[in-house]
């Protein structure tokens, strides 16, 4: 696998976060400013320019034991500072499947 | 049923302990994700949107009741209480934790179930007709050969790192329920003029970005030579298959680029070197495998028992019987398909409770055996006709008696963007909406046999190319858009569908399908003319006109 | 990178030459295929063993005439997932009866050892020290093999026949 850092120049169109899946159980996590991972999007570190995005991704990739497959994902930041996913895929990753599951959890 | 012996059990246990070591090394950081990825894929572990996904093999679609119960146990203990049956006789669990996987595998190994090679660039689960061994007119049980090939392709020292995944399917009936023409190798079991068993060998079928229907490269390979012939195909592919571009790495591209004739010459040449080797299978070996498949001690039963005659007065029972019950090779018995396509439900999902209850019903009514078909339904292969009414009542209570087998709501769908990290668009909600639109059984019955297949991306896990109506979800400017094809089929007359026109939005898909169906009902020559036949007779145009006239 | 040969970590007697490295006077050398083929006679005449590094996309037929003369063939796994050299290895051992050292080079982890042993490799340039140290343990991980290869291990089908006959169940 090519490292995501080598794949292409990182260009972001707006506020973004780094997201991945936690290694031991696979749940969706976001990179925090404290150099850790959180399952809560509101705790994610927000980057607003390419250099910061690149740096955040680099430290995320380096934490290979913590989480896997990190990438930059767009978010929307509301006037109240509330962070929401920036596209359908990320919305689904955050809130779960859009269909009823056979067994409610 | 095939019963594992000590040798098979030992191998599965050795594989579990190897994987346990691999997971341990991964969690400790000794293995990077880049290194571990292939190792986990070789054991059926993907990373999906929300979690890891774990795919377990059900070779040639045959399950014993203790095995189905073990799957229910895994769903309950390690997952969220349900599983998803796929189009290749596998079951997937969507919420598994990596750290717990070795234990789940160990639990499955106790009943002879494994996840070896259910993903990765190796030989995948060998699939077959879900009616194998019970279908009337079948030449012989293809599962004997499936098992032989399963063993030969498990942890193969030469072919575990192929250019791309590799799928083999086998059928022994005229009507192909195993979709062999969309497989890397499709085997059609036949007899030669001496009455000896062999195979017509098809190569290079597959869907995905560049769909191809498989081509016959040899009309008859004797059964004793089938392993060496497959080995020759794989050796040619392993050496010459493209590795520079993932989308061009399947054997279908090699066959296409070399041409069928040149490809089969290469295989033939390689085969001549190895056909008279230890790969040649003598009759005794085949008999040994055959001897470990057990068949029920069928009773001598009447063709039309009283129980069935009486139940015929019940319209609901009759509706179910007509599309779920198929003739069995033994008089007095039936094959019963269990629809996993309830109205409004995700296609192919079953809860742990349903699996356990179905295992009980299989013990009671089907000699302890369950089958899994590529249409994402299950089957009970040996049900006495006198038991059909009682079985139906029990299934109905479990939500497993939807009378829609082979009808428009018997939809094949991949997990799509709700689960899958490759998907561009959702599949399941489209299927759910369609099952609601056509929930009226009279209407569905009036339409007759019609297969809708839905994929959420170009990789085509939902087999959209070969759906009578195929629906492919793509992403355009951040929106889900669906391309619709008609005229595809996956059986012995396999064909790829044709696009009817520009893609439509998520909310419009069900409307478009309704338009297509209305056009068909207006255009068909007589009620018996199936949708697929009308499309073949008239082509895409009249359907296209109908759909786009008002759009 | 540790070398495992005969099941043990050993010193590598071979020096790898690039296409343009000056030829050393003596000592064992591993030479790239291209250089070997263009200068085989001269290379084989010098003192010291000569081995060849054969890429996985080069036809093995070209190497066949030299098999009796080279001391080692090194096949290449440029990535873990590229399995072409498994086929080359089996062809060398099983079709062309090559009996010299057959070395696996490139991305070699312990997880490939069993496959490689079965394909005919007897020498391994292992990426990680821990994997090299775990060689013997890993090589014994499996006791059941479904496929016949040139390594002569008894296959499951064969073992079943033996069991059948010893139990008198046979035909």
């Amino acid at each position: 696998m090519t490292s995501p850092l080598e794949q292409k120049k990182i260009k972001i169109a707006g506020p973004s976060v780094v997201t991945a899946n936690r290694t031991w159980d696979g749940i969706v996590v976001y990179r925090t400013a404290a150099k850790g991972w959180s399952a809560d999007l509101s705790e994610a570190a927000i980057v607003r320019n390419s250099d910061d995005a690149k740096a955040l991704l680099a430290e995320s990739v380096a934490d290979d034991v913590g989480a896997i497959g990190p990438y930059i994902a767009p978010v929307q930041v509301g006037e109240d500072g509330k962070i929401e996913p920036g596209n359908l895929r990320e919305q689904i990753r955050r809130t779960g499947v859009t269909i009823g599951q056979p067994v409610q959890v | 049923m095939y019963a594992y012996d000590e040798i098979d059990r030992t191998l599965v246990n050795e594989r579990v302990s190897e994987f346990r070591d691999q997971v341990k090394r991964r969690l400790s950081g000794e293995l990077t994700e880049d290194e571990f990825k292939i190792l986990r894929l070789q054991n059926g572990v993907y990373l999906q949107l929300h979690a890891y996904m774990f795919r377990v093999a059900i070779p040639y679609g045959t399950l014993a009741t203790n095995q189905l119960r073990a799957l229910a146990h895994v769903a309950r203990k390690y997952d969220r209480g349900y599983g998803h049956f796929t189009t290749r006789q596998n079951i997937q669990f969507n919420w598994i934790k990596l750290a717990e996987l070795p234990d789940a595998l160990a639990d499955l190994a106790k009943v002879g179930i494994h996840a070896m090679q259910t993903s990765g660039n190796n030989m995948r689960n060998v699939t077959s007709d879900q009616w194998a061994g019970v279908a009337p007119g079948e030449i012989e049980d293809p599962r004997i050969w499936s098992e032989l090939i399963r063993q030969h392709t498990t942890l193969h020292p030469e072919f575990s790192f192929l250019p791309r995944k590799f799928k083999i399917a086998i059928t022994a009936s005229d009507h192909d329920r195993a979709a062999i023409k969309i497989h890397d190798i499709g085997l059609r079991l036949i007899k030669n003029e001496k009455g000896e068993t062999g195979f017509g060998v098809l190569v290079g079928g597959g869907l995905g970005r560049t769909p191809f229907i498989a081509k016959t490269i040899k009309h008859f390979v004797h059964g004793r030579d089938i392993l060496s012939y497959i080995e020759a195909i794989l050796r040619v592919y392993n050496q010459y298959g493209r590795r520079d571009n993932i989308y061009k790495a399947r054997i279908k591209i090699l066959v296409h680029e070399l041409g069928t004739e040149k490809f089969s010459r290469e295989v033939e040449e390689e085969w001549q070197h190895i056909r008279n080797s230890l790969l040649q299978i003598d009759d005794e070996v085949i008999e040994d495998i055959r001897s470990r498949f057990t068949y029920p001690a069928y009773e001598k039963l009447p063709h039309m028992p009283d129980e069935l005659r009486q139940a015929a007065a019940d319209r609901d029972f009759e509706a179910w019987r007509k599309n779920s019950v198929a003739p069995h090779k033994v008089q007095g018995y039936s094959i019963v398909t269990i629809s996993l396509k309830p109205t409004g439900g995700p296609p192919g999902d079953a809860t742990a409770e349903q699996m356990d209850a179905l295992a009980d019903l299989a013990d009671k009514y089907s000699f302890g055996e369950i089958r899994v078909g590529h249409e994402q339904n299950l089957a009970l292969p040996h049900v006495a006709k006198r038991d059909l009414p009682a079985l139906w009542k029990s299934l109905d209570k479990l939500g497993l008696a939807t009378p829609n087998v082979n009808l428009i709501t018997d939809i094949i769908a991949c997990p799509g963007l709700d689960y899958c990290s490759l998907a561009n668009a959702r599949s399941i909600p489209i299927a759910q909406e369609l099952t609601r639109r056509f929930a009226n059984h009279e209407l569905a019955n009036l339409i007759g046999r019609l297969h809708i297949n839905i994929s959420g991306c170009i990789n085509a896990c939902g087999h959209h190319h070969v759906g009578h109506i195929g629906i492919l979800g793509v992403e355009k400017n951040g929106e889900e858009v669906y391309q619709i094809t008609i005229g595809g089929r996956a059986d012995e007359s396999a064909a790829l569908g044709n696009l009817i026109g520009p893609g439509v939005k998520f909310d419009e898909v069900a409307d478009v399908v309704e338009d297509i169906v209305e056009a068909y009902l207006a255009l068909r020559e007589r009620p018996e003319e199936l949708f697929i036949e009308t499309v073949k007779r008239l082509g895409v145009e009249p359907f296209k006109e109908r759909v786009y006239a008002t759009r | 990178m540790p070398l495992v040969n005969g099941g043990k970590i050993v010193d590598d007697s071979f020096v790898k030459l690039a296409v343009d490295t000056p030829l050393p006077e003596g000592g064992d050398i591993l030479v790239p295929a291209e250089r070997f083929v263009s200068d085989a006679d001269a290379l084989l005449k010098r003192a010291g063993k000569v081995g060849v590094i054969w890429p996985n996309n080069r036809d093995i037929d070209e190497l066949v005439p030299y098999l009796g003369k080279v001391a080692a063939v090194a096949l290449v796994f440029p990535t873990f997932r590229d399995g072409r050299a498994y086929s080359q290895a089996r062809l060398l051992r099983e079709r062309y009866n090559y009996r010299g050292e057959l070395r696996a080079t490139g991305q070699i982890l312990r997880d490939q050892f069993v496959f490689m042993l079965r394909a005919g490799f007897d020498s391994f340039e292992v990426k990680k020290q821990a994997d090299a140290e775990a060689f013997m343990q890993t090589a014994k991980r499996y006791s059941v093999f479904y496929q016949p290869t040139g390594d002569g291990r008894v296959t499951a089908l064969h073992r079943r026949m033996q069991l059948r006959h010893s139990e008198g169940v046979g035909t």
Side-chain angles (χ1 to χ4, degrees):
Chain A
M1 196 178 75
T2 323
S3 151
L5 297 174
E6 296 158 16
Q7 273 169 13
K8 52 187 166 205
K9 271 198 184 146
I10 288 165
K11 223 170 101 181
I12 59 172
S16 300
V17 298
V18 168
T19 181
N21 292 74
R22 195 159 64 190
T23 302
W24 77 269
D25 63 353
I27 67 160
V28 174
V29 287
Y30 304 93
R31 190 72 182 172
T32 66
K35 299 193 184 300
W37 297 98
S38 169
D40 188 348
L41 179 58
S42 71
E43 293 177 3
I46 307 285
V47 287
R48 295 174 191 276
N49 63 59
S50 300
D51 287 345
D52 290 351
K54 196 169 176 177
L56 189 65
L57 184 59
E59 64 160 76
S60 304
V61 169
D63 184 12
D64 187 59
V65 182
I68 70 175
Y71 59 92
I72 295 165
V75 289
Q76 284 165 3
V77 184
E79 280 175 20
D80 54 357
K82 202 168 169 226
I83 310 172
E84 292 291 339
N87 60 37
L88 177 62
R89 185 180 196 271
E90 293 308 319
Q91 185 66 49
I92 290 172
R93 285 182 79 241
R94 185 191 183 195
T95 51
V97 295
T98 66
I99 51 171
Q101 284 171 44
V103 176
Q104 296 309 316
V105 285
Chain B
M1 285 304 309
Y2 175 76
Y4 270 35
D5 62 5
E6 198 47 42
I7 294 173
D8 299 308
R9 275 193 293 275
T10 302
L11 181 97
V12 172
N13 288 329
E14 287 169 346
R15 182 72 182 103
V16 172
S17 87
E18 179 179 41
F19 191 67
R20 197 180 283 282
D21 171 60
Q22 290 167 341
V23 169
K24 195 174 131 206
R25 283 190 287 145
R26 172 67 189 120
L27 293 176
S28 73
E30 203 182 318
L31 282 173
T32 65
E33 178 58 19
D34 195 25
E35 291 164 340
F36 180 65
K37 188 176 175 188
I38 298 175
L39 304 176
R40 67 169 159 81
L41 288 176
Q42 285 175 337
N43 215 35
V45 185
Y46 285 80
L47 180 68
Q48 295 291 46
L49 290 184
H50 313 280
Y52 292 100
M53 181 269 276
F54 175 41
R55 185 184 289 157
V56 175
I58 303 166
Y60 36 90
T62 297
L63 275 176
T65 48
N66 66 334
Q67 294 177 321
L68 185 57
R69 288 191 187 99
L71 294 172
H73 160 78
V74 166
R76 205 177 279 121
K77 182 165 179 191
Y78 303 102
D79 209 87
R80 293 194 179 174
Y82 66 98
H84 173 75
F85 289 94
T86 76
T87 55
R88 286 207 78 255
Q89 298 178 327
N90 294 306
I91 184 170
Q92 295 178 176
F93 299 101
N94 289 302
W95 309 94
I96 211 94
K97 296 178 175 70
L98 181 62
E100 294 180 357
L101 253 167
D103 291 338
L105 278 164
D107 289 354
L108 291 173
K110 286 180 199 151
V111 293
I113 293 191
H114 64 80
M116 287 184 273
Q117 295 165 212
T118 52
S119 60
N121 295 335
N122 45 42
M123 279 164 298
R124 301 293 186 86
N125 190 26
V126 176
T127 58
S128 188
D129 187 347
Q130 71 269 29
W131 294 0
V134 291
E138 183 176 79
I139 297 170
E140 64 174 74
D141 191 341
R143 292 174 305 161
I144 309 315
W145 300 93
S146 310
E147 175 58 23
L148 191 69
I149 295 167
R150 182 194 77 77
Q151 293 183 16
H152 186 72
T153 56
T154 295
L155 300 182
H156 197 294
E158 185 177 348
F159 306 126
S160 290
F161 301 89
L162 293 168
R164 198 75 180 87
K165 58 188 169 182
F166 202 92
K167 304 172 180 177
I168 301 178
I170 310 180
T171 180
S173 283
D174 287 342
H175 179 56
D176 173 14
R177 279 171 292 267
I180 68 165
K181 289 189 175 178
I182 56 170
H183 277 78
D184 296 284
I185 294 181
L187 297 177
R188 200 163 60 81
L189 191 150
I190 47 177
K191 297 266 186 191
N192 66 7
E193 57 282 8
K194 288 187 209 151
E196 297 165 319
T197 302
F199 298 90
V201 180
L202 292 82
V203 172
L207 301 176
R209 183 166 297 220
T210 322
F212 283 108
I213 301 297
K215 287 127 192 136
T216 298
I217 62 163
K218 202 159 177 80
H219 291 284
F220 187 83
V221 173
H222 197 289
R224 68 172 168 257
D225 295 324
I226 194 63
L227 293 184
S228 60
Y229 197 76
I230 289 172
E231 189 110 329
I233 293 171
L234 286 163
R235 187 167 280 166
V236 169
Y237 173 53
N238 190 39
Q239 291 182 98
Y240 303 116
R242 287 180 62 170
R243 291 176 190 259
D244 58 327
N245 179 338
I246 188 174
Y247 295 111
K248 295 187 174 174
R250 292 287 289 273
I251 198 172
K252 61 190 176 184
I253 303 293
L254 180 66
V255 174
H256 178 71
E257 287 182 352
L258 287 179
T260 310
E261 223 172 281
K262 171 121 170 57
F263 177 81
S264 40
R265 270 207 311 277
E266 292 279 343
V267 171
E268 188 71 24
E269 195 187 320
E270 180 58 36
W271 184 47
Q272 293 308 332
H273 283 292
I274 58 176
R275 64 184 294 193
N276 296 314
S277 68
L278 288 171
L279 291 171
Q280 202 176 84
I281 323 157
D282 55 41
D283 293 343
E284 205 186 349
V285 166
I286 295 164
E287 281 319 307
D288 178 65
I289 291 200
R290 201 186 301 276
S291 72
R292 284 185 296 129
F293 276 88
T294 52
Y295 295 88
Y298 296 110
E299 290 175 69
K300 202 162 166 40
L301 296 174
H303 173 65
M304 179 53 93
D306 290 342
E307 290 87 343
L308 199 55
R309 200 170 281 129
Q310 283 156 18
D314 186 330
R315 281 185 61 206
D316 290 342
F317 171 76
E318 276 298 282
W320 172 80
R321 186 190 62 80
K322 278 188 179 147
N323 72 34
S324 304
V325 178
H328 195 281
K329 69 175 186 185
V330 176
Q331 177 180 296
Y333 287 86
S334 297
I335 306 166
V336 174
T337 299
I338 314 286
S339 170
L340 293 182
K341 318 289 175 66
T343 303
D349 280 12
T351 65
E353 285 66 38
Q354 287 176 324
M355 290 187 238
D356 275 337
L358 198 56
D360 292 345
L361 290 175
D363 276 335
K364 197 167 173 188
Y365 296 120
S366 184
F367 296 92
E369 197 174 324
I370 302 105
R371 300 293 181 83
V372 183
H374 91 268
E375 301 87 353
Q376 301 179 283
N377 289 322
L378 304 179
L380 297 179
H382 325 276
V383 180
K385 284 184 173 177
R386 61 164 185 236
D387 295 333
L388 286 169
L391 172 64
W392 169 69
K393 279 197 186 120
S394 302
L395 288 172
D396 197 33
K397 277 190 206 130
L398 298 168
L400 292 172
T402 314
N404 63 347
V405 174
N406 286 328
L407 298 181
I408 190 165
T409 52
D410 185 1
I411 295 168
I412 292 177
C414 72
L417 190 56
D418 281 295
Y419 290 100
C420 179
S421 59
L422 299 173
N424 302 116
R426 286 170 291 167
S427 305
I428 296 170
I430 300 279
Q432 289 173 310
E433 177 58 17
L434 286 168
T435 60
R436 286 184 209 106
R437 291 284 177 105
F438 294 96
N440 181 319
H441 180 70
E442 305 303 317
L443 172 63
N445 220 19
L446 178 79
I447 298 163
R449 187 172 188 135
L450 202 167
H451 298 302
I452 297 180
N453 294 2
I454 309 172
S455 304
C457 80
I458 193 71
N459 294 305
C461 295
H463 294 181
H464 63 276
H465 298 106
V466 291
H468 295 178
I469 296 176
I471 301 172
L472 164 66
V474 297
E475 189 235 291
K476 215 172 169 183
N477 304 325
E479 256 195 283
E480 295 162 295
V481 171
Y482 295 83
Q483 297 175 351
I484 296 172
T485 53
I486 59 173
R489 59 196 296 175
D491 59 7
E492 61 283 359
S493 311
L496 303 172
N498 291 303
L499 203 60
I500 61 161
V504 299
K505 289 182 181 163
F506 182 83
D507 294 331
E508 296 173 334
V509 176
D511 295 340
V512 168
V513 171
E514 276 186 340
D515 285 353
I516 292 171
V517 169
E518 276 173 29
Y520 155 65
L521 291 174
L523 290 164
R524 69 182 179 188
E525 275 186 327
R526 47 184 201 289
E528 298 76 41
E529 187 180 64
L530 299 181
F531 172 79
I532 189 74
E533 294 162 352
T534 307
V535 175
K536 193 172 182 193
R537 181 168 59 81
L538 296 173
V540 171
E541 267 326 295
F543 295 92
K544 185 177 186 168
E545 271 168 33
R546 176 66 177 249
V547 168
Y548 293 98
T550 55
R551 284 192 172 80
Chain C
M1 204 173 281
L3 178 72
V4 172
N5 195 328
K8 291 190 292 286
I9 299 176
V10 296
D11 289 330
D12 191 356
S13 74
F14 286 92
V15 174
K16 278 190 191 139
L17 301 192
V19 181
D20 53 0
T21 320
L23 198 61
E25 287 267 319
D28 303 342
I29 50 170
L30 269 175
V31 187
E34 199 185 332
R35 180 168 179 180
F36 176 81
V37 171
S38 65
D39 202 15
D41 292 341
L43 288 168
L44 290 166
K45 255 184 233 149
R46 62 184 281 290
K49 293 182 196 164
V50 178
V52 57
I53 305 165
W54 204 261
N56 70 0
N57 58 357
R58 191 163 183 145
D59 202 334
I60 210 85
D61 287 352
E62 211 186 337
L63 176 59
V64 171
Y66 306 103
L67 287 178
K69 298 165 193 156
V70 293
V73 176
L75 297 177
V76 187
F77 294 85
T79 70
F80 190 81
R81 72 194 70 190
D82 185 340
R84 280 176 276 195
Y86 291 104
S87 287
Q88 290 178 318
R90 288 194 68 195
L91 289 173
L92 287 174
R93 289 291 195 217
E94 296 170 31
R95 187 163 303 163
Y96 302 113
N97 298 311
Y98 172 65
R99 291 288 164 260
E101 176 179 339
L102 187 55
R103 184 184 288 201
T105 70
Q107 299 287 313
I108 316 295
L109 298 180
R110 75 174 76 168
D111 309 278
Q112 296 141 292
F113 289 159
V114 175
F115 292 133
M116 288 175 169
L117 283 164
R118 300 226 59 214
F121 290 100
D122 55 6
S123 162
F124 310 84
E125 286 180 12
V126 185
K127 193 169 151 189
K128 301 178 183 180
Q129 185 68 28
D131 287 349
E133 284 163 11
F135 184 87
M136 282 314 282
Q137 194 191 335
T138 315
K140 283 188 292 197
R141 172 157 268 146
Y142 286 94
S143 65
V144 172
F145 308 97
Y146 281 128
Q147 309 80 7
T149 71
D151 71 350
R153 283 179 170 85
V154 176
T155 66
L157 292 179
H158 194 79
R159 203 194 293 176
R160 286 193 188 109
M161 289 306 105
Q162 291 171 338
L163 287 171
R164 249 168 108 88
H165 290 142
S166 68
E167 288 161 8
V169 189
T171 44

